[in-house]
Amino acid sequence: MPSAKCTLLKSAVPRRSAKSPVLTRATLASIRTIGCGLAIAAGVLAGSPVYAQESHAPDAALQRLLREAQAAVPGECGKPGIDRLVRILCSGRIRIGVRDHYPLFSTRSGETRQGYEIDIAQAVAGKLGVAVEFARVNAANRIPMIADDKVDLAIATMGHNTLRDGQVRFIRPHYYRSETIVVGPRDLGVANWKDIPGRTVCGTVGNGSNTELVSHDARLMLFDDAVSLPDRLDDQSCTLAAQDDSFFASYFTDPRFTGRYSAKFGFAQVAVNRNGSERLGRALDLMSQIFHRDGVFLASARANRIGTAFLEQQATVWARPECNSDTGATNPACILPALDATLKPTVFADSVTAFETWFASRTGIDVMLPMLKTAPAWSLFKDGIVNSLILVTGALVATLVFALGFGAALGSRSRLLRWPVRGLTVTLQSSPIVLTLVIAAAIIHAIFSYSSGVALGAAIVALGLANGSNAGQAISEAVLTLRAERAALPMGGLDLFSRALARSATQIVAFLINAAKGTPIASFIGAPELLSALTDITAFSSGRVSTYALLLIFYTGVVMAVVWLCGRFRSFLERSHAAV
């Protein structure tokens, strides 16, 4: 979703946040505010000399705050743990996280950046009298970069919701507002949420709208940057795409795009680290008030050709006496509330929280299990485990079947059969598994409509071909060797082939295990296995480290079980015929 907001770096604990816009379950047209980032900029851009004379005006409060911070320079510059605003003034630079590919808001061409959020960032830096140092961020890493102190401020279309309030400090008032829209082919019959269950919707990692989509039983295919979405619509990797309306605004000015796609429906709505950032956050709050009141945001929005209805309304709000004061940013009558992104808890959520607390108190290690605490995450988690087990089983069966087929064909005396299969084997062995996966998916999708089952089937076929071709070559080499020894070992065709299986048992088992280990790559084409499910979960919840540690534990257990089973299978093959 395209809501842009300023966020002050908050706590030291980096948590993964959902995407920039915020979704509200109250209505499909829930609107998200993006004011944080822009708000910060607004305060920085300029102050009105008329209001600056009033001691309770935001202008006067901002001037006092900046004078206090400047008084600490250079005396406190060498001290550890200094106030973040003082540190910015000491270094003479402010690090601001922005996007590289977000039309009208923030784009980059070489070393040139432009857009509404870039204007705000530069205005903030100018107001503070420091240089701006841009850092590229995306929906997935905005909050972690703030929490890890890699940026001082994020102005990157991040919506303000109740989940993120515990992770970063948002600037108030917000600097923009937008909603998430679902875009797809004009002739596709999708009009509202009831048409979404079972469909795959493409979006971006870290997008707050992912929560809403998952709760309506959509399957997600996630990308790092929104700029990938129009291309994925064009090559039909995505049937639908969900993103802020502000992102798609520029695309809908293109007749070619508008002729093929339409907005189906809409739903839903930057920050600084909380540690040592209260003074910086306060300064940005005041700047945002001033920028709304004096029309700075509005003028920049018009210059960058983005919608201005929200900013026009906010200019009126912040000119009112009760809002145009140094307490306006905390006045509920003036500021917009954070969107309620609370998810339905599981029946055992309290027990999970109690376990997390107990474990942390005993070990000092923070373990977070978001997949067990909310209904959407728990549903994804269960489905992911089941689909992963199906995928692993399917990959093992496909590998064995293809191995037998390739082994028989490559070991055949018929050149008409042997040489085409040899060419296919060499091609498969020379191609990266990802390429094989993509080609298999493209062929299957050309035959069948995209679905989770089709994606799983494509992955099973690709893994079976890649590993089965190698195992089949090992079988054929054993066939050829045994055939050369046939004078000493008289045997028929089936007997020869079974002896070849026994002789190549170790190689067959190795490629079966390799197929099981490679199953997580199926997430690349949207197969809903556990890696894909956990990626979806971390898109709207915290606990990224614990979540992926659990993924590692799961696959380690699965592979260990496969190794044990394959060991038994090898023993069976070797006992069938004594290896010669």
Side-chain angles (χ1 to χ4, degrees):
M1 313 163 191
S3 59
K5 302 172 185 172
C6 293
T7 307
L8 297 175
L9 298 179
K10 173 191 169 174
S11 70
V13 182
R15 298 181 183 172
R16 167 90 176 259
S17 83
K19 175 182 164 178
S20 110
V22 168
L23 16 135
T24 170
R25 299 179 184 280
T27 168
L28 297 182
S30 303
I31 295 181
R32 299 165 306 128
T33 24
I34 347 176
C36 232
L38 293 187
I40 295 187
V44 173
L45 288 181
S48 164
V50 175
Y51 294 108
Q53 305 303 318
E54 303 176 17
S55 61
H56 295 294
D59 315 70
L62 177 60
Q63 290 173 7
R64 289 193 298 269
L65 191 60
L66 293 179
R67 280 197 300 268
E68 291 174 5
Q70 290 163 351
V73 180
E76 297 184 11
C77 291
K79 297 180 180 180
I82 61 173
D83 174 82
R84 200 170 298 271
L85 178 57
V86 173
R87 189 180 71 179
I88 290 171
L89 296 177
C90 288
S91 66
R93 67 187 178 111
I94 181 170
R95 302 165 302 167
I96 300 181
V98 296
R99 290 178 180 264
D100 275 2
H101 305 289
Y102 207 95
L104 307 185
F105 281 80
S106 179
T107 58
R108 179 178 182 179
S109 177
E111 295 303 313
T112 302
R113 294 181 183 272
Q114 60 183 14
Y116 178 47
E117 294 178 337
I118 300 301
D119 290 350
I120 291 173
Q122 292 171 336
V124 169
K127 185 72 170 178
L128 294 176
V130 298
V132 60
E133 179 180 299
F134 289 111
R136 179 188 177 186
V137 300
N138 57 35
N141 68 12
R142 290 172 303 196
I143 289 180
M145 287 189 70
I146 291 173
D148 293 340
D149 195 21
K150 294 180 179 178
V151 295
D152 298 308
L153 169 68
I155 308 179
T157 63
M158 179 162 61
H160 184 187
N161 63 37
T162 52
L163 293 178
R164 288 176 173 155
D165 266 334
Q167 302 169 15
V168 288
R169 189 233 199 250
F170 281 86
I171 304 307
R172 314 289 287 277
H174 301 119
Y175 70 88
Y176 200 68
R177 183 174 73 179
S178 63
E179 68 174 356
T180 294
I181 57 173
V182 175
V183 174
R186 282 190 168 276
D187 58 357
L188 184 66
V190 171
N192 50 45
W193 284 122
K194 67 182 181 183
D195 300 318
I196 289 298
R199 292 186 182 273
T200 297
V201 182
C202 292
T204 50
V205 176
N207 192 327
S209 62
N210 296 342
T211 314
E212 191 81 356
L213 291 164
V214 168
S215 71
H216 284 87
D217 298 323
R219 290 300 315 162
L220 301 184
M221 184 183 295
L222 302 179
F223 299 87
D224 286 336
D225 291 306
V227 70
S228 302
L229 300 182
D231 292 337
R232 299 293 75 79
L233 285 171
D234 281 345
D235 64 21
Q236 299 183 5
S237 299
C238 303
T239 303
L240 297 168
Q243 190 59 218
D244 300 345
D245 57 2
S246 57
F247 171 78
F248 279 113
S250 65
Y251 290 94
F252 279 120
T253 63
D254 179 356
R256 187 194 68 84
F257 188 88
T258 304
R260 298 182 63 183
Y261 307 106
S262 64
K264 300 304 181 180
F265 64 94
F267 64 99
Q269 171 233 89
V270 204
V272 298
N273 191 314
R274 290 191 179 276
N275 292 342
S277 295
E278 187 50 42
R279 188 182 290 179
L280 175 59
R282 173 64 174 153
L284 293 172
D285 284 345
L286 293 167
M287 292 181 194
S288 187
Q289 288 182 242
I290 297 167
F291 281 24
H292 273 304
R293 182 199 67 199
D294 294 349
V296 175
F297 287 149
L298 184 57
S300 179
R302 286 171 175 162
N304 286 284
R305 299 176 291 109
I306 66 175
T308 60
F310 169 74
L311 297 175
E312 290 170 355
Q313 179 263 337
Q314 287 290 288
T316 301
V317 169
W318 293 100
R320 298 200 311 246
E322 66 272 25
C323 300
N324 183 38
S325 71
D326 54 6
T327 59
T330 59
N331 186 341
C334 303
I335 60 173
L336 296 173
L339 293 177
D340 185 1
T342 304
L343 303 176
K344 180 182 178 181
T346 59
V347 295
F348 41 80
D350 291 341
S351 298
V352 174
T353 301
F355 170 78
E356 292 173 341
T357 303
W358 173 83
F359 191 84
S361 66
R362 294 298 183 89
T363 65
I365 300 174
D366 289 327
V367 173
M368 306 187 74
L369 302 171
M371 72 292 298
L372 304 179
K373 293 195 287 189
T374 66
W378 175 236
S379 177
L380 280 173
F381 183 61
K382 290 188 298 181
D383 290 346
I385 289 177
V386 171
N387 288 330
S388 286
L389 294 177
I390 292 173
L391 181 59
V392 169
T393 303
L396 292 174
V397 172
T399 296
L400 184 57
V401 169
F402 281 121
L404 296 174
F406 276 95
L410 291 172
S412 171
R413 295 180 182 276
S414 171
R415 291 186 178 182
L416 291 178
L417 178 60
R418 187 172 67 248
W419 285 106
V421 175
R422 186 181 299 279
L424 176 59
T425 300
V426 171
T427 300
L428 289 169
Q429 292 174 339
S430 303
S431 301
I433 182 60
V434 172
L435 181 59
T436 303
L437 190 71
V438 171
I439 292 174
I443 293 174
I444 290 180
H445 293 165
I447 301 173
F448 304 100
S449 298
Y450 186 90
S451 68
S452 298
V454 169
L456 284 171
I460 288 171
V461 170
L463 289 166
L465 282 170
N467 292 283
S469 62
N470 286 288
Q473 183 176 18
I475 294 171
S476 69
E477 289 172 353
V479 168
L480 296 176
T481 301
L482 288 168
R483 188 174 288 146
E485 301 169 355
R486 186 165 183 172
L489 297 167
M491 42 189 153
L494 289 177
D495 188 33
L496 174 67
F497 195 73
S498 63
R499 287 176 180 272
L501 291 178
R503 178 168 288 190
S504 58
T506 299
Q507 293 98 316
I508 294 173
V509 165
F511 287 110
L512 286 171
I513 295 172
N514 194 58
K517 292 168 64 176
T519 52
I521 200 173
S523 63
F524 185 80
I525 59 168
E529 46 70 66
L530 189 58
L531 173 58
S532 177
L534 292 179
T535 299
D536 291 352
I537 291 170
T538 57
F540 58 82
S541 61
S542 56
R544 189 176 189 180
V545 173
S546 300
T547 298
Y548 285 109
L550 184 61
L551 177 70
L552 176 62
I553 293 171
F554 172 80
Y555 274 111
T556 298
V558 168
V559 172
M560 289 176 65
V562 170
V563 169
W564 181 80
L565 290 172
C566 285
R568 300 293 298 270
F569 180 61
R570 181 181 60 189
S571 298
F572 168 76
L573 290 177
E574 292 175 342
R575 284 197 306 268
S576 299
H577 288 282
V580 179

